[in-house]
């Protein structure tokens, strides 16, 4: 984090007079997990990612609660800014208290002053100072500068003198203060017992193994439902009109419909301008995702953010300069983030509706030459597949560990994954193929019905919805055998399409 801050600031002693820089008073907060290297070694990569995901959820929830703006996330640390130093302190203290339930502790540093912003990136001495102050902090401790303490009399926050420190990269010494109490409640908490902390971490990861399967069921069901709504409305568009009294009662054209899975009744109808004739609507690939604060839909060159609670589309839509018409976008949620791919992988900030480039597998012309891509997140990896038959595995932490395999001699129209397996669908050969997520070795190819409309991974099984026949079938990943094929409903194929 300190390295990141120094880089953002442009050196050890950043200039405060750079042309084109915006300057404003702000509080800078830096946090990170204490002893992260040892804990990661104890848990292993996959289990460590689960714990970090929960940590991120806690910090982001408190950033939203206290009006903080996340500026960067580096591994297990956060950099955020606040207009109010009191809010920064409240956020740090609340986060510290909550992450203890995960069996971890964080340290935090807060500095206040004039922050310089260039091209949307905050920097300057205040940012560097906050990172250095955090470096002086310890487990369960929030250290602040005198500039923070001096502007908070009467704010219900008390401090203990932590002495003067010489901070790397900054001139002279800086007097620091330890946050002692907030609203008359002492901040200092008993030290975490190492054995108890280890048990808490194990319990969190064990619960995640159960809850994660339930969550994937909800997300997959919503994403598959979005696919059917967007893809099949185009077929029945002329039928859903008020001018035709004989037309069946159904959802309006260009809408996202929430359907109760028990009663089948429509619970939500949210108007959305869709373009269902796009590539994604004609395949079993992902054109919708649920998570990270809403439901997400692809519409040509943008991703729409839909707030299901208020039944509205959130402005502005997510866009990136490299997204152009005719190049399909695939999206999925995983960990604590939303991801998009056009071949290149993008991370989407659901708070600011902003996409940033994350990783670029060597897909070449397979995406940009008009072929399709699909992506999914599962088993701790991002998976990207193209229509020429190549599957890429991307590390969601830093995007550097990119490996590829060609599990089929044909093409890949869709990919889904969980912790134990990855499945790809080849519409040309009408097969699904299981791929080992560790070795990337393909397993036996299983013939399936042609014209799959949707795929979903639920509790270790691959579920497939056939568009032409309207049947739902599943493959048990433990024995790679088709174990069921049932009609979605008893109505005609045309009705199923609606």
């Amino acid at each position: 984090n300190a390295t990141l801050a120094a880089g953002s600031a442009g050196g050890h002693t950043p200039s405060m007079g750079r042309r084109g820089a915006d300057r404003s008073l702000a509080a800078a907060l830096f946090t990170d997990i204490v002893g992260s290297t040892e804990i990661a070694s104890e848990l292993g990569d996959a289990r460590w990612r689960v714990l970090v995901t929960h940590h991120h959820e806690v910090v982001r929830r408190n950033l939203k609660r206290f009006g903080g703006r996340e500026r960067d996330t580096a591994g297990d640390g956060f950099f955020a800014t606040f207009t109010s130093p009191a809010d920064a302190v409240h956020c740090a203290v609340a986060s510290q208290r909550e992450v203890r339930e995960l069996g971890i502790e964080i340290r935090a540093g807060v500095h206040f002053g004039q922050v310089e912003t260039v091209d949307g990136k905050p920097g300057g001495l205040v940012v560097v100072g906050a990172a250095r102050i955090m470096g002086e902090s310890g487990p369960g401790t929030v250290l602040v500068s005198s500039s923070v303490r001096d502007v908070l009399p009467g704010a219900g926050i008390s401090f203990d003198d932590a002495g003067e420190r010489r901070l790397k990269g900054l001139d002279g010494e800086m007097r620091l203060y330890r946050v002692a109490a907030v609203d008359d409640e002492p901040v200092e908490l008993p030290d975490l017992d190492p054995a108890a902390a280890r048990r808490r971490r194990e319990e969190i990861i064990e619960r995640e193994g159960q809850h994660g399967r339930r969550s994937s069921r909800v997300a997959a069901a919503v994403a598959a439902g979005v696919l059917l709504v967007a893809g099949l409305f185009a077929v029945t568009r002329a039928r859903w009109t008020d001018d035709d009294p004989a037309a069946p009662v159904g959802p309006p054209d260009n809408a996202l419909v929430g359907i109760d899975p028990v009663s089948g009744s429509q619970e939500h109808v949210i108007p959305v301008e869709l373009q269902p004739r796009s590539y994604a609507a004609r395949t079993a690939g992902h054109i919708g995702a649920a998570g990270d604060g809403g439901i997400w839909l692809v519409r040509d060159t943008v991703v729409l953010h839909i707030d299901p609670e208020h039944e509205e589309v959130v402005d502005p839509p997510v866009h990136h300069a490299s997204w152009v018409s005719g190049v399909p976008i695939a999206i999925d949620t995983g960990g604590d983030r939303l991801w998009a791919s056009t071949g290149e992988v993008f991370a989407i900030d659901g708070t600011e509706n902003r996409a940033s480039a994350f990783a670029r597998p060597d897909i070449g012309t397979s995406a940009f030459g008009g072929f399709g891509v699909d992506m999914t997140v599962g088993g701790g990896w991002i998976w990207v597949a193209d229509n020429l038959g190549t599957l890429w595995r991307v590390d969601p932490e830093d995007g550097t560990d990119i490996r590829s395999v060609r599990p089929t001699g044909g093409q890949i129209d869709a990919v889904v994954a969980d912790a134990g397996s990855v499945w790809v669908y080849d519409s040309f050969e009408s097969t699904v193929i299981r791929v080992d997520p560790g070795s990337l070795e393909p397993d036996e190819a299983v013939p399936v019905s042609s014209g799959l409309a949707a795929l979903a991974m639920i509790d270790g099984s691959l579920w497939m919805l056939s568009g032409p026949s309207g049947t739902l079938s599943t493959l048990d990943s433990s024995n790679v055998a088709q174990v069921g094929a049932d009609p979605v409903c008893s109505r005609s194929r045309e009705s199923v399409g609606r």
Side-chain angles (χ1 to χ4, degrees):
N1 284 325
T3 303
L4 172 66
S8 299
H12 292 305
T13 309
S15 168
M16 299 301 290
R18 285 186 287 176
R19 183 174 300 175
D22 294 327
R23 301 171 187 82
S24 60
L25 287 175
L29 166 67
F30 276 82
T31 71
D32 72 2
I33 299 176
V34 177
S36 58
T37 301
E38 293 78 7
I39 297 174
S41 177
E42 164 202 320
L43 296 176
D45 289 343
R47 288 152 56 87
W48 167 245
R49 289 192 190 102
V50 171
L51 191 65
V52 170
T53 294
H54 283 280
H55 162 268
H56 283 15
E57 290 172 351
V58 169
V59 176
R60 286 186 171 126
R61 182 169 60 248
N62 284 304
L63 285 175
K64 184 176 182 180
R65 175 184 174 190
F66 294 104
R69 184 175 180 183
E70 181 181 335
R71 296 294 189 170
D72 214 331
T73 308
D76 60 330
F78 275 83
F79 165 36
T81 57
F82 298 76
T83 57
S84 163
D87 288 337
V89 172
H90 278 283
C91 179
V93 171
S95 297
Q96 284 187 338
R97 288 171 175 165
E98 291 180 34
V99 299
R100 288 170 63 91
E101 297 301 316
L102 305 178
I104 58 176
E105 290 195 283
I106 61 175
R107 56 180 180 166
V110 183
H111 196 15
F112 177 69
Q114 184 172 253
V115 173
E116 178 181 353
T117 303
V118 180
D119 296 331
K121 297 181 179 180
L125 292 171
V126 169
V127 175
V128 175
R132 302 297 186 230
I133 292 170
M134 182 206 67
E136 295 291 318
S137 186
T141 301
V142 181
L143 284 185
V144 306
S145 63
S146 58
S147 64
V148 173
R149 190 206 65 160
D150 292 347
V151 298
L152 293 182
I157 302 174
S158 59
F159 303 90
D160 291 333
D161 192 337
E164 291 188 342
R165 313 284 179 94
R166 182 174 294 278
L167 304 180
K168 181 180 178 181
L170 300 177
D171 296 333
E173 293 186 338
M174 180 182 293
R175 183 166 292 278
L176 302 181
Y177 297 85
R178 186 180 301 105
V179 177
V182 173
D183 298 330
D184 296 326
E185 183 177 351
V187 169
E188 186 175 358
L189 297 170
D191 292 339
L192 274 178
D193 176 71
R198 189 176 299 109
R199 284 196 300 272
R200 289 187 189 182
R201 294 193 290 268
E202 293 292 341
E203 289 170 1
I204 289 293
I205 292 169
E206 182 179 353
R207 285 202 303 269
E208 176 69 17
Q210 300 169 357
H211 172 72
R213 288 190 290 271
R214 292 194 296 270
S215 298
S216 66
R217 178 182 309 201
V218 174
V222 172
V226 166
L227 172 64
L228 293 177
V229 168
L232 298 178
F233 275 4
V235 179
T236 60
R237 178 169 187 165
R239 299 178 182 273
W240 304 114
T241 64
D242 295 333
D243 298 332
D244 182 2
V249 177
D253 195 13
N254 286 329
L256 175 69
V257 180
I259 300 174
D260 187 299
V262 177
S263 66
S265 62
Q266 297 176 23
E267 300 296 324
H268 305 279
V269 178
I270 307 172
V272 182
E273 287 296 325
L274 299 172
Q275 293 177 305
R277 295 294 299 173
S278 65
Y279 163 83
R282 301 195 303 269
T283 73
H286 293 73
I287 66 165
D292 197 30
I295 297 173
W296 306 82
L297 290 175
V298 173
R299 188 186 72 184
D300 193 23
T301 63
V302 300
V303 175
L304 300 180
H305 180 182
I306 291 130
D307 179 351
E309 181 178 356
H310 298 94
E311 298 190 358
E312 62 183 10
V313 179
V314 181
D315 288 327
V318 181
H319 179 68
H320 191 273
S322 67
W323 297 354
V324 296
S325 185
V327 177
I329 303 171
I331 58 175
D332 199 10
T333 54
D336 59 342
R337 307 177 79 173
L338 176 72
W339 304 92
S341 179
T342 58
E344 185 174 5
V345 177
F346 299 85
I348 294 181
D349 183 330
T351 302
E352 299 186 3
N353 284 3
R354 175 174 50 86
S356 56
F358 179 76
R360 186 179 180 87
D362 188 19
I363 290 182
T365 59
S366 61
F368 296 98
F371 293 91
V373 296
D374 188 32
M375 73 169 301
T376 192
V377 184
W381 299 95
I382 301 170
W383 301 92
V384 183
D386 70 7
N387 228 355
L388 297 184
T390 305
L391 174 69
W392 283 265
R393 189 185 73 183
V394 181
D395 188 333
E397 289 297 319
D398 55 20
T400 58
D401 186 4
I402 301 176
R403 303 182 186 181
S404 65
V405 65
R406 290 184 60 85
T408 172
Q411 60 189 37
I412 300 178
D413 297 276
V415 54
V416 292
D418 65 4
S421 58
V422 183
W423 294 88
V424 297
Y425 166 55
D426 181 347
S427 64
F428 185 77
E429 299 287 345
S430 294
T431 58
V432 293
I433 302 169
R434 187 174 64 180
V435 177
D436 183 277
S439 66
L440 295 184
E441 290 294 327
D443 207 330
E444 178 185 359
V446 181
V448 296
S449 302
S450 61
L452 292 187
L455 302 179
M457 286 294 296
I458 302 174
D459 290 345
S461 293
L462 174 67
W463 290 83
M464 303 169 292
L465 178 63
S466 170
S469 64
T471 59
L472 184 67
S473 59
T474 182
L475 290 178
D476 187 333
S477 62
S478 63
N479 58 20
V480 199
Q482 190 161 348
V483 296
D486 299 303
V488 175
C489 61
S490 59
R491 291 173 291 175
S492 66
R493 181 184 308 173
E494 184 178 276
S495 296
V496 172
R498 296 182 191 132

